[in-house]
Amino acid sequence: MKEKIDQLFENEAQLPKISSVVSKVMEMVGKPDVVIADLAKEISKDPGLTAAVIKLSNSAYFRPAKPVKTVQESLMTLGIKTVKDIILLNETKGILKKELKGYQVDGESNWMHSLIVAELAKRIAVQKKLKVDKDVVFTAGLLHNIGKVILADFFPTVLMQFRAELQTYEGPYTDLEAKYFGYTHQEAGAKLLAKWNFPEELIEVARYYTEPEKATQFPELVSIIHIANCIVLLGGMGIDIGGLKIPLSSKALQNVGVTEGDLQMYYTLLPEMVKHIEELISV
Amino acid sequence: MLNKDVKIINVGIADIQGGQSPSMIRTTLGSCIGVVFYSPDKKVGAMAHIMLAKDPSGKDSSKNPHKYAETALPELVKRMTELGCNKGEYFARLFGGASMFKGMNSSFLQNIGDLNVSVAKEFLDKEKITLLVEDVGGHEGRTISLYLDDGRILLKKGGFEKYLYKVR
């Protein structure tokens, strides 16, 4: 099975893709001296993307003070990094809103899970006044489990044995992925993001979000996403074949300074966050 | 098989929904509990997706009654009344309440599921609503679908699925 997945990674035509405009935009916003006019020009090369940026900028979620009519206005009103989030959101929707058959998660649930993890992670970063780049937090949350999209396609052939073994399996869930596919979905996700030339932060989150104690470069960011993911699963959103078998890491709680009271608050906030996110995706 | 005329009613987190045959009501649960009421004679039912047994702050439940068992369950009874069902005409089933991650050192998160289940049972007992079927606890998430034409429930858990037909 590992060979088949390796072949997939070599043959890029079959991998989920992002458009060249989007990767160019990602690269541009990563630089400190980015010029709004240049960025607007780049985004405007893609009419679909342009329309999506303007539409999403006017959603109840972002609540612009006055209606946004151009990409340039969007960049000036909401800021470069928010527009980057909008672009990634629009681009990854088609990839993340996909039924993960073997995992038993439908497309809508996976999409909602990704968005709520992103939203909660952002709230944790703000509430805990962490030094991490808050704009990266949302993106990292959005993409944390993207590797499932890769492995889901390989499930059908092993599903019967996989779930039979799962019934009595006591170890970490992802060890079973490694056993059956040669890759965990974290490894697959990290590989995919590396293929897309995405920043190191996002790659490390995808790689270690279920075992944050192994994160070496961005332990704080990885811990935030880890905690957000656990809470969202607890609420049942995006819960997959593995159930609740990912342990919540006490190291992660320590890294971020999350207390028992915080956990309770985050969990209780979930319904309001769902409402907020629904405003974002209803456009 | 799902007939295409069947309307699917999704129950969100901290939400209550009701309906009548031939609709189907569905939700996905982690530590939350799903309380299902169904009247086999009138073919109507309602489902609550409850997050916590009680409101820890004491301030939120008036604003968001469906989050907490102590306020949501009376609402669920009310919903059945609105659907034209008196007590005694409908029966309860209970799902979810999985316990959180192993080795967790948060007693709050660890115990949400169990507390939810025990508060729901106390309520049903007190209100004399018969509990027919339960599938609670463990580490698995569950998706439950209530088919209002005959009250069967499709339970999906840990990669498996089964129908539960007991309705009275």
Side-chain angles (χ1 to χ4, degrees), chain A residues 104 163 166-167 170 230 234-236 239 241 243-248 250 253 260 263-264 267-268 271-272 274, chain B residues 13-14 28 30-32 51 56 67-68 98-102 104-109 112 139-141 158-160:
Chain A
Q104 293 195 318
R163 57 187 193 184
L166 187 67
Q167 296 303 299
E170 289 295 328
C230 286
L234 186 67
I239 208 162
I241 188 171
L244 295 173
K245 285 184 168 132
I246 294 172
L248 179 63
S250 42
L253 296 177
E260 182 84 355
L263 288 175
Q264 184 165 328
Y267 176 73
T268 317
E272 280 133 76
V274 171
Chain B
I13 188 165
T28 300
S31 279
C32 302
M51 296 182 78
K67 265 189 206 173
Y68 309 102
S99 87
M100 190 56 174
F101 325 103
K102 282 180 289 184
M104 263 258 314
N105 48 8
S106 156
S107 61
F108 168 72
L109 294 187
I112 296 176
H139 299 292
E140 250 67 62
F160 286 88

Side-chain angles (χ1 to χ4, degrees), chain B residues 131-143:
Chain B
L131 177 60
L132 291 175
V133 175
E134 61 180 281
D135 191 279
V136 296
H139 299 292
E140 250 67 62
R142 297 166 171 87
T143 296

